[in-house]
Amino acid sequence: MENAPTVKSAKTKLLIAASYYAPAIGGLERYASEMAKVAHQANYEVVVVCSGNGASVTKESSDGIRIYRLPTQFMLSNTPVSLRWHSMIKGIIADEAPDIINVHMPVPYLTDLVIFASKGIPKVVTYHSGPMKKHLSLCTMVFTGSRRAMALRSAETARSAVMRSPIE
């Protein structure tokens, strides 16, 4: 059928965005993965958007959760980056039509793009860590300052925020 209207699921659709996601190992990854599983068990339709290692977007399903892994062009510190993600994310959001979005930070860029591409959709920002005190190069200080500013801006646009520890 041409131009058939999209049929909206009776379930609430939750889109979870995290720069890294299982099977990547870490606290944020485990937390986001467990959140996805619990939401699915609570009858939410769950979609995850995260970075990946492939040359193109890969879509997989694990335990009833759809996962989009976006191709990474390069790394900036611990941050996966692709200059093509904005259009990919806009397409995923348009196709999936989530009812609510949960982004997991502090790793910036992917989560910020999800926030900027999802105007009008309620958002929850989960911020997982506080500042790390260490000897910082000038480049790292600039990057850290911009990361904090982006995280605060993202938190301001969210309907609510979950802070695992304070943003400084």
Side-chain angles (χ1 to χ4, degrees), residues 24-53:
I25 298 170
L28 182 151
E29 295 81 2
R30 187 173 57 246
Y31 187 97
S33 177
E34 288 302 313
M35 174 181 273
K37 290 175 188 171
V38 168
H40 178 70
Q41 291 167 355
N43 207 30
Y44 281 75
E45 187 176 349
V46 181
V47 176
V48 173
V49 176
C50 60
S51 66
N53 296 323

Side-chain angles (χ1 to χ4, degrees), residues 132-138 140-141:
M132 291 184 269
K133 305 292 185 194
K134 58 184 175 184
H135 177 69
L136 303 174
S137 69
L138 178 60
T140 303
M141 285 190 291

Side-chain angles (χ1 to χ4, degrees), residues 3 8 25 41-42 51 62 101 111 116 122 168:
N3 298 326
K8 186 72 173 162
I25 298 170
Q41 291 167 355
S51 66
S62 176
I101 293 175
T111 52
F116 297 138
E168 289 184 2

